[in-house]
Amino acid sequence: MIVKLVEVYETTSRSSNAESSYSLREVYVNPDHIVSMREDMSTKSKLTSGLLPENLSRDQEFTKLFINRGNWGSDMIVIGSPSSVHQKLRGKGLLKG
């Protein structure tokens, strides 16, 4: 089963001197491929610094997901605390050994 989450991602800027900007997008994740997750305080810091989209609550939390992709892995930042993300994924294969 695939689960819909909201990812925070860095948008590319046209000027190398420009400050990074961030956007949101829906992503669909296969919980069977999530290896681990943890709270992401660096994104929380970006939120309090005003670098993330303005429509996010200042109390919002973020989770970094580590995803197994065969010979290598990837990670992504999603909106929600680790416990709330876990609730969305529970019973759908999260953290299988």
Side-chain angles (χ1 to χ4, degrees):
M1 175 175 235
I2 302 296
V3 177
K4 181 173 77 169
L5 301 170
V6 177
E7 178 184 19
V8 177
Y9 69 100
E10 187 173 0
T11 57
T12 56
S13 62
R14 295 177 188 220
S15 167
S16 60
N17 295 336
E19 192 171 289
S20 296
S21 62
Y22 297 86
S23 295
L24 306 176
R25 64 182 166 205
E26 291 180 346
V27 293
Y28 294 86
V29 177
N30 182 340
D32 289 337
H33 295 276
I34 297 173
V35 177
S36 66
M37 60 184 181
R38 68 164 191 239
E39 183 177 18
D40 186 57
M41 294 306 295
S42 66
T43 303
K44 178 73 171 180
S45 175
K46 290 172 187 162
L47 175 65
T48 57
S49 299
L51 297 174
L52 299 185
E54 294 179 10
N55 58 338
L56 288 175
S57 165
R58 295 293 175 217
D59 296 325
Q60 189 63 63
E61 295 181 58
F62 303 92
T63 299
K64 181 178 265 192
L65 299 179
F66 296 91
I67 301 168
N68 180 6
R69 295 187 57 179
N71 291 335
W72 58 280
S74 63
D75 57 64
M76 72 173 60
I77 307 300
V78 296
I79 292 179
S81 67
S83 62
S84 68
V85 172
H86 180 260
Q87 288 293 325
K88 282 189 166 187
L89 300 169
R90 186 179 12 200
K92 297 175 178 72
L94 180 64
L95 304 177
K96 284 188 175 178

